Amino acid sequence: MSDQDLLYRLEGRLIDLEAKVSQLEKAMSEIPKAEPEIPEEAQRRIDAGEHPVRVIRELRLLTQSQLSELCGIRPNHISAIERGQTFGLKTARRLSEALNVPASLLF
């Protein structure tokens, strides 16, 4: 088999792989994303008045410093939030991504 034949065969396989990857990406985008479930005990703590950020952070076994590293929010700001300081949507989004919960849960 010549180098040119081998090159054509490899190019054909690459095109097939690209098509398959495209099909998989499309199929994955159509799968509905399930909201992560919050354990009953954590929900009870939140309902009892504990701050959701603290409850979920502790559920994930994270310190404020570790959460800070994950979301890029200073530890003292996380501490203030857990004590009741208000925060904006950008902060909520960063915290929700780091904690793997919907942002709406954090308010």
Side-chain angles (χ1 to χ4, degrees):
M1 179 182 300
S2 72
D3 288 344
Q4 191 171 16
D5 290 338
L6 181 59
L7 183 61
Y8 285 131
R9 286 181 71 198
L10 290 174
E11 188 175 28
R13 290 175 111 179
L14 181 60
I15 290 170
D16 289 343
L17 284 173
E18 287 174 340
K20 287 179 182 178
V21 167
S22 180
Q23 290 171 347
L24 284 171
E25 286 174 339
K26 183 180 181 221
M28 288 179 67
S29 71
E30 293 171 356
I31 297 172
K33 293 186 174 141
E35 293 287 330
E37 290 190 27
I38 306 300
E40 206 172 297
E41 176 59 28
Q43 190 60 55
R44 271 198 295 271
R45 289 175 58 190
I46 292 168
D47 292 343
E50 287 189 60
H51 199 281
V53 172
R54 174 176 286 139
V55 172
I56 302 303
R57 176 182 59 78
E58 290 175 353
L59 175 71
R60 304 285 189 251
L61 303 175
L62 295 170
T63 64
Q64 289 176 346
S65 294
Q66 290 167 328
L67 178 56
S68 171
E69 289 176 23
L70 288 173
C71 66
I73 298 171
R74 293 184 322 272
N76 60 338
H77 191 194
I78 292 171
S79 176
I81 289 169
E82 290 182 356
R83 290 191 316 273
Q85 180 183 35
T86 59
F87 55 97
L89 292 176
K90 183 178 176 182
T91 300
R93 181 186 55 79
R94 291 165 72 181
L95 287 167
S96 73
E97 288 176 4
L99 294 169
N100 191 31
V101 295
S104 60
L105 177 71
L106 303 179
F107 290 101

Coordinates of all heavy atoms in Angstrom, one line a residue, residues 53 57 63-83 85-87 90-91 94-95 98:
V53 N -25.7 28.3 51.5 CA -24.3 28.1 51.1 C -23.5 27.3 52.1 O -22.7 26.4 51.8 CB -23.6 29.5 50.9 CG1 -22.1 29.4 50.6 CG2 -24.3 30.2 49.7
R57 N -22.1 23.7 51.4 CA -20.6 23.6 51.5 C -20.2 22.5 52.5 O -19.3 21.7 52.2 CB -20.0 24.9 52.0 CG -18.5 24.9 52.2 CD -18.0 26.2 52.7 NE -18.6 26.7 54.0 CZ -18.2 26.2 55.2 NH1 -17.3 25.2 55.3 NH2 -18.8 26.7 56.3
T63 N -14.1 23.3 53.1 CA -13.9 24.5 54.0 C -14.2 25.7 53.2 O -14.3 25.6 51.9 CB -12.4 24.5 54.5 OG1 -11.6 24.7 53.3 CG2 -12.0 23.2 55.2
Q64 N -14.3 26.8 53.9 CA -14.5 28.1 53.1 C -13.3 28.4 52.2 O -13.5 28.8 51.1 CB -14.7 29.2 54.1 CG -16.0 29.2 54.8 CD -16.2 30.2 55.9 OE1 -15.3 30.9 56.3 NE2 -17.5 30.4 56.3
S65 N -12.1 28.0 52.6 CA -11.0 28.2 51.7 C -11.0 27.3 50.5 O -10.7 27.8 49.4 CB -9.7 27.9 52.5 OG -9.5 28.9 53.5
Q66 N -11.4 26.1 50.7 CA -11.5 25.2 49.5 C -12.6 25.7 48.6 O -12.4 25.7 47.3 CB -11.8 23.8 50.0 CG -10.6 23.1 50.7 CD -11.0 21.8 51.4 OE1 -12.2 21.7 51.9 NE2 -10.1 20.9 51.5
L67 N -13.7 26.1 49.1 CA -14.8 26.7 48.2 C -14.3 27.9 47.5 O -14.6 28.1 46.3 CB -16.1 27.0 49.0 CG -17.2 27.6 48.3 CD1 -17.6 26.7 47.1 CD2 -18.4 27.8 49.2
S68 N -13.5 28.7 48.2 CA -13.0 29.9 47.6 C -12.1 29.6 46.4 O -12.2 30.2 45.4 CB -12.1 30.6 48.7 OG -11.4 31.7 48.1
E69 N -11.3 28.6 46.5 CA -10.4 28.1 45.4 C -11.3 27.6 44.2 O -10.9 27.9 43.1 CB -9.5 27.0 45.9 CG -8.4 27.5 46.8 CD -7.5 26.4 47.3 OE1 -7.4 25.4 46.7 OE2 -6.9 26.6 48.4
L70 N -12.4 27.0 44.5 CA -13.2 26.4 43.5 C -14.0 27.5 42.7 O -14.2 27.4 41.5 CB -14.2 25.4 44.0 CG -13.7 24.1 44.5 CD1 -14.8 23.3 45.2 CD2 -13.1 23.3 43.3
C71 N -14.4 28.5 43.4 CA -15.2 29.5 42.7 C -14.6 30.9 42.5 O -15.2 31.7 41.9 CB -16.6 29.7 43.5 SG -16.4 30.4 45.1
G72 N -13.4 31.1 43.1 CA -12.8 32.4 42.9 C -13.3 33.5 43.8 O -13.1 34.7 43.4
I73 N -14.0 33.2 44.8 CA -14.6 34.2 45.7 C -13.7 34.1 47.0 O -13.5 33.1 47.5 CB -16.1 34.0 46.0 CG1 -16.9 34.1 44.8 CG2 -16.6 34.9 47.1 CD1 -18.3 33.6 44.9
R74 N -13.3 35.3 47.5 CA -12.5 35.3 48.7 C -13.1 34.6 49.9 O -14.4 34.7 50.1 CB -12.1 36.8 49.1 CG -11.2 37.4 48.1 CD -10.8 38.9 48.5 NE -11.9 39.6 49.2 CZ -12.8 40.4 48.6 NH1 -12.8 40.5 47.3 NH2 -13.7 41.0 49.4
P75 N -12.3 33.9 50.7 CA -12.9 33.2 51.9 C -13.7 34.1 52.8 O -14.7 33.8 53.3 CB -11.7 32.6 52.6 CG -10.7 32.5 51.5 CD -10.9 33.6 50.6
N76 N -13.2 35.4 53.0 CA -13.9 36.3 53.9 C -15.3 36.7 53.3 O -16.2 37.0 54.1 CB -13.1 37.5 54.3 CG -12.6 38.3 53.1 OD1 -12.6 37.9 52.0 ND2 -12.3 39.6 53.4
H77 N -15.4 36.7 52.0 CA -16.7 37.0 51.4 C -17.6 35.9 51.6 O -18.8 36.1 51.8 CB -16.5 37.4 49.9 CG -17.7 37.9 49.3 ND1 -17.8 38.0 47.9 CD2 -18.8 38.4 49.7 CE1 -19.0 38.6 47.6 NE2 -19.6 38.8 48.7
I78 N -17.1 34.6 51.4 CA -17.9 33.5 51.6 C -18.4 33.4 53.1 O -19.6 33.2 53.3 CB -17.1 32.2 51.3 CG1 -16.9 32.1 49.8 CG2 -17.9 30.9 51.8 CD1 -16.0 31.0 49.3
S79 N -17.5 33.8 54.0 CA -17.9 33.8 55.4 C -19.0 34.8 55.6 O -20.0 34.6 56.3 CB -16.7 34.2 56.3 OG -17.1 34.3 57.6
A80 N -18.9 36.0 55.0 CA -19.9 37.1 55.2 C -21.3 36.6 54.5 O -22.3 36.8 55.1 CB -19.4 38.3 54.5
I81 N -21.2 35.9 53.4 CA -22.4 35.4 52.8 C -23.1 34.4 53.7 O -24.3 34.5 53.9 CB -22.1 34.8 51.4 CG1 -21.7 35.9 50.4 CG2 -23.3 33.9 50.9 CD1 -21.1 35.3 49.1
E82 N -22.3 33.5 54.3 CA -22.9 32.5 55.2 C -23.5 33.1 56.4 O -24.3 32.5 57.1 CB -21.8 31.5 55.6 CG -21.5 30.6 54.4 CD -20.4 29.5 54.7 OE1 -19.9 29.5 55.9 OE2 -20.1 28.7 53.9
R83 N -23.0 34.4 56.8 CA -23.6 35.1 57.9 C -24.8 35.9 57.5 O -25.4 36.6 58.4 CB -22.5 35.9 58.6 CG -21.5 35.1 59.3 CD -20.6 36.0 60.2 NE -20.1 37.3 59.6 CZ -19.1 37.4 58.8 NH1 -18.3 36.3 58.6 NH2 -18.7 38.6 58.3
Q85 N -24.9 38.2 54.6 CA -24.7 39.3 53.6 C -25.3 39.0 52.3 O -25.2 37.8 51.8 CB -23.2 39.6 53.5 CG -22.9 40.7 52.5 CD -21.4 40.9 52.3 OE1 -20.6 40.0 52.3 NE2 -21.0 42.2 52.2
T86 N -25.9 39.9 51.7 CA -26.5 39.7 50.4 C -25.5 39.6 49.3 O -24.3 40.1 49.5 CB -27.5 40.9 50.0 OG1 -26.8 42.1 50.0 CG2 -28.7 40.9 51.0
F87 N -25.8 39.0 48.2 CA -24.9 38.8 47.1 C -25.6 38.8 45.8 O -26.8 38.6 45.8 CB -24.0 37.5 47.3 CG -24.8 36.2 47.4 CD1 -25.1 35.4 46.3 CD2 -25.3 35.9 48.7 CE1 -25.8 34.3 46.5 CE2 -26.0 34.7 48.8 CZ -26.3 33.9 47.7
K90 N -24.0 37.2 39.8 CA -22.7 36.6 39.4 C -22.1 35.8 40.5 O -21.6 34.7 40.2 CB -21.8 37.8 39.0 CG -20.4 37.4 38.5 CD -19.6 38.6 38.2 CE -18.2 38.2 37.7 NZ -17.3 39.3 37.4
T91 N -22.2 36.2 41.7 CA -21.6 35.4 42.8 C -22.4 34.2 43.0 O -21.9 33.1 43.2 CB -21.7 36.3 44.1 OG1 -20.9 37.4 43.9 CG2 -21.2 35.5 45.3
R94 N -21.4 31.6 40.4 CA -20.1 31.0 40.7 C -20.2 30.0 41.9 O -19.6 28.9 41.8 CB -19.1 32.1 41.0 CG -18.7 33.0 39.8 CD -18.0 34.2 40.1 NE -16.7 34.1 40.5 CZ -15.9 35.0 40.9 NH1 -16.3 36.3 40.8 NH2 -14.6 34.8 41.3
L95 N -21.0 30.4 42.9 CA -21.1 29.5 44.0 C -21.9 28.2 43.6 O -21.6 27.1 43.9 CB -21.9 30.2 45.2 CG -21.1 31.2 46.0 CD1 -22.0 32.0 46.8 CD2 -20.0 30.5 46.8
A98 N -19.7 25.8 41.7 CA -18.7 25.2 42.5 C -19.4 24.2 43.4 O -18.8 23.1 43.7 CB -18.0 26.2 43.4

